[in-house]
Amino acid sequence: MTYSGQVTVGGPADVHELKDLMITKIAVGPMDNNAYLLRCRATDEQLLIDAANEAETLLGMIGDDGIASVVTTHRHGDHWQALAEVVAATGARTHAGREDTEGIPVPTDVPVDDGDTIRVGQVELTARHLVGHTPGSIALVYDDPHGHPHVFTGDCLFPGGVGNTHKDPKAFASLIHDVETKIFGTLPDETWVYPGHGNDTTLGAERPHLAEWRARGW
């Protein structure tokens, strides 16, 4: 079946099958958070992005193969409600943006800086530090050698705009700058965007609206 990226809490996961990587998306919890399970096809190693909620659901998706690591995109509580339980069950190494680690109640094994590489099997993800939604938010970029890039944006980029900066002009200016320069400025329109909540999008669908977002200030 064709991947749509449209998932609902309590509903089935959706799987995006790439040549070297399988991406499974599921929605969990009262704030409709997305969690993403990445599986390297060559090694079967797995990595989870955001153990947001419903540990039992996430562990069921992970299955008997476990996960080597879990990445928390940022420190907001709706993105780590299941982290302690998932780590306890799997022994996974934890990753998070360096500036957000103090706000995550599960110790971070690997503090992440801009440009750092996180591996899942033979697949490499590049971290992009995006400041504004939180001080240490990170996005993860997979530059598929067989196709277009894929980027997991946490709460920094959604269909229709950047993440919530709570009407703080300085925070918004920082976030829109980082998203424009580090995401839109380096990746093509075909790039698939996997956000922390809601449906997926592409950079091409959002790029024409950047000036509009800047003008409205959110």
Side-chain angles (χ1 to χ4, degrees):
M1 293 182 64
T2 302
Y3 174 79
S4 71
Q6 297 178 356
V7 294
T8 57
V9 175
D14 198 5
V15 181
H16 203 168
E17 298 203 24
L18 309 179
K19 186 169 183 180
D20 295 338
L21 187 69
M22 287 180 59
I23 302 167
T24 303
K25 177 181 182 178
I26 198 165
V28 293
M31 296 185 71
D32 292 355
N33 286 77
N34 295 326
Y36 299 94
L37 181 67
L38 279 54
R39 185 183 186 98
C40 171
R41 288 185 176 274
T43 67
D44 288 331
E45 185 171 289
Q46 298 190 118
L47 174 150
L48 181 68
I49 299 174
D50 283 344
N53 213 307
E54 299 181 31
E56 186 174 343
T57 298
L58 297 180
L59 290 169
M61 177 175 68
I62 290 166
D64 293 339
D65 288 341
I67 51 172
S69 46
V70 55
V71 179
T72 302
T73 57
H74 63 289
R75 69 187 185 189
H76 287 161
D78 59 309
H79 290 259
W80 48 253
Q81 291 298 308
L83 182 59
E85 193 170 340
V86 167
V87 169
T90 63
R93 287 170 62 81
T94 54
H95 303 249
R98 186 177 300 276
E99 290 78 9
D100 270 12
T101 57
E102 290 185 0
I104 301 170
V106 178
T108 299
D109 297 320
V110 184
V112 178
D113 296 309
D114 188 59
D116 283 356
T117 297
I118 299 173
R119 298 183 65 90
V120 51
Q122 296 179 5
V123 169
E124 290 190 350
L125 309 169
T126 302
R128 305 306 329 196
H129 182 204
L130 307 173
V131 182
H133 184 66
T134 67
S137 289
I138 55 173
L140 298 177
V141 179
Y142 170 51
D143 192 358
D144 186 355
H146 309 289
H148 56 74
H150 300 255
V151 57
F152 303 86
T153 56
D155 283 2
C156 288
L157 177 63
F158 296 98
V162 296
N164 191 349
T165 51
H166 305 284
K167 299 182 179 179
D168 180 338
K170 185 176 180 181
F172 172 76
S174 174
L175 182 56
I176 192 76
H177 173 269
D178 282 0
V179 167
E180 283 186 331
T181 58
K182 296 181 181 180
I183 303 298
F184 286 95
T186 61
L187 298 171
D189 283 352
E190 296 77 15
T191 302
W192 197 279
V193 177
Y194 306 82
H197 306 262
N199 293 337
D200 300 353
T201 186
T202 65
L203 292 188
E206 307 305 323
R207 194 184 302 273
H209 305 290
L210 285 169
E212 171 192 336
W213 300 351
R214 274 196 173 275
R216 75 188 184 191
W218 56 273

